[in-house]
Each structure stands twice: as structure tokens, then as C-alpha cells.
Amino acid sequence: MADAINYAVFLFPQAVEALGAPIKPYLRDEAGSPHIVCSEIDASGALFELTLSGNGPKGEDLRLEIMLPVSMVKLVMSMRGEHEIGFV
């Protein structure tokens, strides 16, 4: 079975600063570029919607939705799996 498609949503530095502490647990910072890895995105409205999937402490499936102003999003990349972004 092929790896699931995930999305790396890169944010502008000003967006990370403006969002502050609430966004920090969801950010990854490989290669010095803050981004959020999510399983679904919806950029069709005024807010950019990100859906994150994970597991709770008892193994239950969890889904979290984050909605950001579209102007905070710098770049979106699709990727297979949840590996680090970059070249080896």
C-alpha cells in the first residue's frame, strides 16, 4: 500500500510570530522553515483550513482542524508519508 498523501503548509515568519504559543506544538522546523504537516487542506474560502490526524493517549483516532487567514500561508507542498522535507 502506498504512503498516504500529506501536505506541508509553510507559514510566513510574521504569521508564526502573530499566532504565538498556540501554534507552536503543531509546527515543524526542518531546514529552518516553519510548517505544519496535515492530512487535508481546504483553501477555498477566506480561511485556510488544515486537518491534522493523530492518535490520542489511548490509541483513539483524533482529528484537529486549524483555520488560518489565507494571507498567512506562504507555500503548500504535497508529500508522501510524514518524513522530513529536504534531500538526503
Side-chain angles (χ1 to χ4, degrees):
M1 182 175 171
D3 290 333
I5 296 176
N6 287 301
Y7 299 92
V9 179
F10 292 83
L11 305 177
F12 285 105
Q14 300 88 340
V16 174
E17 184 180 331
L19 295 168
I23 200 70
K24 297 283 186 194
Y26 309 105
L27 286 175
R28 295 187 185 183
D29 199 13
E30 292 105 17
S33 191
H35 63 281
I36 300 170
V37 174
C38 55
S39 58
E40 297 175 28
I41 57 172
D42 181 357
S44 63
L47 295 175
F48 194 97
E49 298 179 29
L50 300 86
T51 302
L52 288 73
S53 299
N55 296 318
K58 297 178 184 174
E60 68 274 21
D61 290 335
L62 296 177
R63 289 174 58 93
L64 172 71
E65 292 183 4
I66 299 174
M67 292 176 249
L68 306 169
V70 172
S71 62
M72 290 186 168
V73 177
K74 182 177 184 179
L75 172 72
V76 177
M77 297 174 69
S78 65
M79 56 191 226
R80 301 274 181 194
E82 285 203 30
H83 52 76
E84 290 186 15
I85 295 172
F87 297 99
V88 180

